Amino acid sequence: MSTVVDQTKPLQFIATNMVTEMDGKMLLASCLQPLTLMAGKVTVPRVPIGDPLCFEGLEIVDGAFTIDAGIVMVTGEANPITGANIVASLIMAGTIKTDDFYCGTVTGEVMEPPVGDIAGSNFAAVRLADKKVLPTDVTITCDGKTVTDM
């Protein structure tokens, strides 16, 4: 998740997704496991931390879905921008582009630390062949823009 606060320092998660069909509707269940990041870094150390943020029953219509996450808390150990705990209300509007890639926009408000509106933020997810081998170029937008450590 690349925020307008600093797009070059994305918060990172390992997403576990399952799509099912029920009553003629395609439904997405998604769990987002936060990864640790050193302040100012993109690729280190990226170790799972805390409980995943899980969402179920998300309807997929023409490849599009919305995650209204409500108010979530992400530990400061997963915040590469300031290292502070984050409390935010988030809505992620995504589109499945291929079997290996989905992306979209993030709107909402960061309440702690006080940042405010984060409209203009983005997220992108690429399929991992192995959850233990994370890419060094982290995709942050639907057009494939990536960031990495210098």
Side-chain angles (χ1 to χ4, degrees), residues 26 58-65 94:
M26 300 303 290
L58 307 170
E59 189 173 357
I60 302 170
V61 178
D62 296 328
F65 62 92

Side-chain angles (χ1 to χ4, degrees), residues 2 5 11 13 41 63 67 70 78 102 107-109 111 113 115 141 144:
S2 172
V5 177
L11 281 77
F13 303 81
K41 295 295 183 179
I67 298 175
Y102 65 88
T107 56
E109 180 179 358
M111 296 164 276
V115 170
T141 62

Side-chain angles (χ1 to χ4, degrees), residues 61-127:
V61 178
D62 296 328
F65 62 92
T66 300
I67 298 175
D68 184 343
I71 296 177
V72 298
M73 188 279 215
V74 176
T75 179
E77 292 177 79
N79 177 354
I81 299 169
T82 67
N85 291 341
I86 299 170
V87 177
S89 64
L90 301 174
I91 298 175
M92 302 167 64
T95 302
I96 299 169
K97 299 291 190 175
T98 70
D99 287 346
D100 297 327
F101 181 67
Y102 65 88
C103 58
T105 59
V106 181
T107 56
E109 180 179 358
V110 174
M111 296 164 276
E112 292 179 31
V115 170
D117 189 2
I118 58 165
S121 299
N122 298 289
F123 73 94
V126 297
R127 183 184 303 269

